[in-house]
Amino acid sequence: MLATQKQILIDLIAEALQALTGNQELPSIVLEQPKDPSHGDLACTVALTCAKALKKNPRELAFALVSALQANPKVQELITSLEIAGPGFINFRISPSAKQQVIAEVLRQGAEFGKGKLYEGQKVMVEFVSANPTGPLHVGHTRQAAIGDVLANLLAAQGAEVTREFYYNDGGNQIHNLTLSVQAHAKGVTPEHADWPVDGYRGDYIGDIARDYLAKKTVHANNDQPVSASGDVDDLENIRKFAVAYLRNEQDLDLQTFGLKFDVFYLESSLYKEHLVEQTVQKLIAGGYTFEKDGALWLQTTAINAGERQDDKDRVMRKSDGSYTYFVPDVAYHLRKWQRGFTKVINVQGTDHFGTIARVRAGLQGLKEGIALNYPDYVLHSMVKVMRGGEEVKISKRFGSYVTMRDLIEWVGRDAVRYFMVSRKADSEFVFDLDLALAKSDDNPVYYIQYAHARICSVFAQSGLTEPLLEGVDLSPLVHPKEQVLMQILADYPQMLVTACENLAPHTVAFWLKDCAAAFHAVYNAEKVLVQDSVVKHARLALYAATRRVLANGLIQILGMSAPEKM
C-alpha cells in the first residue's frame, strides 16, 4: 500500500471513530505491519488506545469500528478484509488492486520515486571522515565515508541542500611527528635505526614522501595552491607543507575512487588564523560560564543545559601553559557552522568521540548565540575487523600496521565496500569478511541484490519490450502471494527512506534492498514471465520493470553503488 493510500485509510478510520465517539480528543491513529504476515498486511491498536478514555471495552469498540469501516465504499476499495484479534487489535488485508497501484506509480515517477520533502529547502551539513593528514585512510575512515555519504544522499533525497565537509586537523604534535619522520627518511634514517623519531610514522609511504621531496616534486591537494618541495632536508616548514599536501592528495584520490566528492575541506588552522578560537573563548567568558583554577581556564559545562547529554564534570578550556584543550576549537568550528547557515549538522565520528558530545554542545549553548539545543547531531560508528580465510587481516605493508581504504577497494571492489560498510547499525561492531564479499552466491548480499537487477535486465532483453510500452497495462493478473509481497515492499520504499533519514540509519536501506531482492527472486522462481498470454506477460513485466527501477534508485542514488545489467 502506497503512503498516500495508507494516509487515506488512516483518515477513514479517524472519520469512523469520530462518528462513534463524538468530538472527544483521541490519540493519533497508527498503522503498522504485523510481525507475523498471517495476521494481515496492516494492524491498528486504536481501539485499545481509545477504550479507557471512552470508558468502553476495547473489543466492543473494535467491533463497532470494523462495522462502520466495512460499510464505507472507500474502505472497500482499499481493503479486502478486516479482522479483530486478541483484546481489540484490528488487522487489515489490503486489496490486490491497491497493492498493484505502486507499479503504475513507479513507472510514472521513475528516478523520482522514493524522493520526499522532509527537509526541503533546509541547509544541512554532513561532516565526516575528517582524517588527520598523517597517513592513508584506514578501514575506520572507510566505514565513516560510507555512512556519511549515504546519510548525505538520504538527506538530499528528502529535499535538503546538502554540503559534505571534511575537517582537517592540520596542526599539532601528529603533524610535527609526520614532519620529523619524513625528514629522517630523507636523511637516510629508517624506522629500524635508533635515531628514528620516538613517535614517528613507520609505513613505507613515509619513504615515498621523502623520495618525492628530495626529487623536488610538486603536489596539489584538493583545491589548495600547489606545494613544491625544496629538497632541503633541514627546512622543516617546507617538509611539513609538502608532506601534508602529499597525504591530503593521496586521501583525496582514495575518496574519488570510493565515489565520494567533498564540497568543502575546512582547515583547523584557519580557526586560529581568523582568531575564531580566541573569540569563542572570550564569548564564553563574557557569558559567565568560566572560572580559573590551578592556572587554567575552565568551562562550567555542568551548569549549562546541553540537552539530551549533560556533561558530568567541568572541563579545562585553556591549560596552564596557554594551549587550548581539543574541544575548544571544536566549539569554535561548530559556531562557524551555525553562522554559515547550517541549521542541521550531522557529525559522523568514531565511538571514541562519545565524550566530546556533551562538552561541545555545552560550549555552544554557553555562547548564547541562539544555537539549537542538541546541536549538532552525532552518528558514532564502531571500528571494523577485516577477516580473510577465518583470520584477521591487520597489516598493509605499504601503509603500516592497518588495512586501508585503498586495500579494501583493490581486494573486493567499491560496491562491496560501500554496501558492507553500511550494512550494520553504525555503533555495532562489524566484521568485514573478504571471502564473503568476493563470493558469487546468494550468501553475498551485494551479489544477491545486483543479480536481481541484472536478472530483470536479462528478461527484458529476451522480451524485446521497453518500459514505456508497459505504461497503462492491465495489472489485475498480479494476484500471486509472492507478487503481492513484492509489491508491498516496493510501496514501502518511500517511507523506508524517510525513516532511515529521520533516524540517521543508513543500514535500513541495505536491509530493504536485500529484502526486495529476496522478494523478487521468490517471484522469479515461482512464475514464468514470458508466457503466451500477453495480458499476464505484460503485467508481470511491468512488475519486473518497477522492481528494477526501485532497486536502481536505492543502489545508485542512495548507496552510491552500481546497478549492473549483466553479471
Side-chain angles (χ1 to χ4, degrees):
M1 174 176 275
L2 291 165
T4 51
Q5 295 172 325
K6 194 172 181 180
Q7 187 56 53
I8 290 170
L9 182 57
I10 289 173
D11 293 342
L12 291 171
I13 294 170
E15 182 183 310
L17 191 61
Q18 197 69 32
L20 291 171
T21 62
N23 295 320
Q24 285 187 255
E25 188 173 335
L26 299 170
S28 59
I29 296 166
V30 178
L31 292 174
E32 297 179 336
Q33 287 181 307
K35 292 181 179 179
D36 185 348
S38 66
H39 293 166
D41 297 306
L42 294 170
C44 183
T45 60
V46 67
L48 295 167
T49 56
C50 293
K52 187 175 181 181
L54 298 171
K55 297 180 180 180
K56 291 180 179 290
N57 178 285
R59 197 168 171 84
E60 291 178 359
L61 179 58
F63 271 109
L65 185 56
V66 166
S67 296
L69 289 169
Q70 287 175 329
N72 190 326
K74 293 181 180 178
V75 174
Q76 294 169 12
E77 293 177 8
L78 297 176
I79 302 298
T80 55
S81 68
L82 295 87
E83 301 169 355
I84 298 169
F89 296 102
I90 303 175
N91 294 329
F92 299 83
R93 295 189 187 278
I94 305 167
S95 69
S97 61
K99 289 182 179 179
Q100 290 158 6
Q101 288 182 35
V102 69
I103 297 173
E105 195 65 24
V106 172
L107 295 181
R108 183 181 69 82
Q109 293 190 35
E112 296 301 304
F113 183 77
K115 294 182 180 179
K117 299 181 179 180
L118 183 65
Y119 295 111
E120 188 174 33
Q122 188 171 342
K123 283 185 67 176
V124 180
M125 177 196 290
V126 184
E127 186 229 315
F128 57 114
V129 182
S130 296
N132 294 332
T134 54
L137 301 175
H138 56 59
V139 290
H141 297 132
T142 308
R143 189 176 193 187
Q144 193 172 138
I147 292 170
D149 198 40
V150 174
L151 282 174
N153 290 337
L154 282 167
L155 289 157
Q158 294 302 318
E161 182 186 331
V162 181
T163 294
R164 292 166 170 82
E165 185 148 305
F166 191 124
Y167 178 71
Y168 275 116
N169 295 300
D170 59 337
N173 286 333
Q174 291 177 316
I175 300 297
H176 182 62
N177 291 331
L178 170 69
T179 304
L180 294 180
S181 302
V182 174
Q183 181 191 44
H185 216 298
K187 288 182 175 182
V189 179
T190 58
E192 299 79 29
H193 295 166
D195 292 339
W196 188 257
V198 175
D199 296 316
Y201 293 89
R202 296 174 176 271
D204 287 356
Y205 68 95
I206 296 296
D208 296 338
I209 300 172
R211 281 187 287 275
D212 281 4
Y213 181 77
L214 292 172
K216 298 183 180 181
K217 291 191 176 181
T218 298
V219 290
H220 193 173
N222 314 121
N223 294 317
D224 293 350
Q225 291 295 319
V227 176
S228 297
S230 68
D232 182 352
V233 295
D234 294 318
D235 188 347
L236 281 177
E237 179 59 16
N238 187 240
I239 293 173
R240 182 191 69 78
K241 288 181 178 179
F242 182 81
V244 168
Y246 182 102
L247 287 169
R248 287 182 61 190
N249 181 62
E250 287 286 299
Q251 291 178 356
D252 197 44
L253 291 173
D254 288 348
L255 292 169
Q256 289 176 24
T257 303
F258 198 58
L260 206 169
K261 188 179 188 309
F262 282 91
D263 301 298
V264 177
F265 291 93
Y266 198 99
L267 300 180
E268 180 189 11
S269 58
S270 69
L271 296 172
Y272 294 95
K273 289 179 181 176
E274 298 172 20
H275 308 293
L276 295 176
V277 177
E278 185 58 36
Q279 290 171 17
T280 300
V281 171
Q282 291 305 315
K283 285 181 180 180
L284 288 170
I285 293 172
Y289 287 114
T290 62
F291 65 93
E292 294 195 20
K293 178 184 174 183
D294 301 328
L297 180 68
W298 295 66
L299 180 66
Q300 291 178 290
T301 54
T302 55
I304 302 172
N305 179 14
E308 62 187 14
R309 288 186 180 170
Q310 192 69 31
D311 208 357
D312 57 350
K313 60 182 180 181
D314 296 334
R315 304 289 175 175
V316 173
M317 293 174 58
R318 187 170 58 215
K319 294 181 282 189
S320 56
D321 63 4
S323 63
Y324 293 111
T325 53
Y326 70 90
F327 88 93
V328 178
D330 277 358
V331 175
Y333 176 42
H334 286 89
L335 170 61
R336 178 45 58 96
K337 287 181 181 180
W338 180 264
Q339 292 171 339
R340 288 160 62 194
F342 294 106
T343 54
K344 185 175 182 65
V345 167
I346 301 161
N347 292 346
V348 184
Q349 297 175 323
T351 50
D352 56 323
H353 287 80
F354 179 84
T356 306
I357 299 175
R359 65 196 76 166
V360 169
R361 287 176 174 172
L364 291 170
Q365 293 305 307
L367 293 170
K368 299 180 180 179
E369 292 275 340
I371 297 173
L373 202 62
N374 297 317
Y375 180 93
D377 290 315
Y378 286 85
V379 174
L380 302 182
H381 68 90
S382 296
M383 297 304 285
V384 181
K385 180 187 291 186
V386 180
M387 302 290 288
R388 176 192 279 146
E391 296 183 356
E392 185 175 359
V393 182
K394 292 184 177 181
I395 296 176
S396 169
K397 183 178 183 298
R398 179 171 182 259
F399 300 119
S401 58
Y402 57 85
V403 176
T404 68
M405 174 185 286
R406 189 173 299 181
D407 291 327
L408 289 178
I409 295 174
E410 288 177 354
W411 291 339
V412 301
R414 186 180 83 182
D415 284 353
V417 176
R418 274 185 164 270
Y419 182 90
F420 279 104
M421 286 299 182
V422 297
S423 64
R424 298 287 185 275
K425 287 185 65 176
D427 59 358
S428 65
E429 296 294 333
F430 177 59
V431 174
F432 195 114
D433 188 333
L434 297 174
D435 299 318
L436 176 62
L438 288 169
K440 294 183 178 180
S441 71
D442 292 352
D443 294 330
N444 178 358
V446 179
Y447 178 85
Y448 190 62
I449 295 164
Q450 291 183 323
Y451 183 52
H453 185 273
R455 202 173 214 179
I456 295 171
C457 292
S458 175
V459 170
F460 268 91
Q462 295 175 56
S463 74
L465 293 173
T466 59
E467 285 187 21
L469 296 175
L470 298 171
E471 292 182 16
V473 301
D474 181 4
L475 300 171
S476 61
L478 300 175
V479 294
H480 191 284
K482 286 182 168 48
E483 292 172 336
Q484 297 283 300
V485 169
L486 177 55
M487 286 185 285
Q488 185 57 52
I489 289 174
L490 295 179
D492 291 340
Y493 180 72
Q495 183 57 48
M496 179 276 296
L497 293 183
V498 170
T499 302
C501 195
E502 288 180 321
N503 297 334
L504 304 181
H507 67 278
T508 308
V509 184
F511 289 174
W512 182 92
L513 284 166
K514 189 176 179 182
D515 288 345
C516 184
F520 165 74
H521 289 305
V523 169
Y524 181 90
N525 292 327
E527 294 185 309
K528 290 186 66 175
V529 180
L530 303 181
V531 294
Q532 291 296 319
D533 188 328
S534 61
V535 175
V536 174
K537 178 174 71 173
H538 290 165
R540 290 176 182 169
L541 282 171
L543 174 58
Y544 274 38
T547 304
R548 177 172 62 176
R549 167 51 63 187
V550 185
L551 282 172
N553 287 357
L555 286 167
I556 299 170
Q557 295 177 1
I558 308 301
L559 295 193
M561 296 168 58
S562 65
E565 296 184 6
K566 293 181 179 180
M567 289 181 68

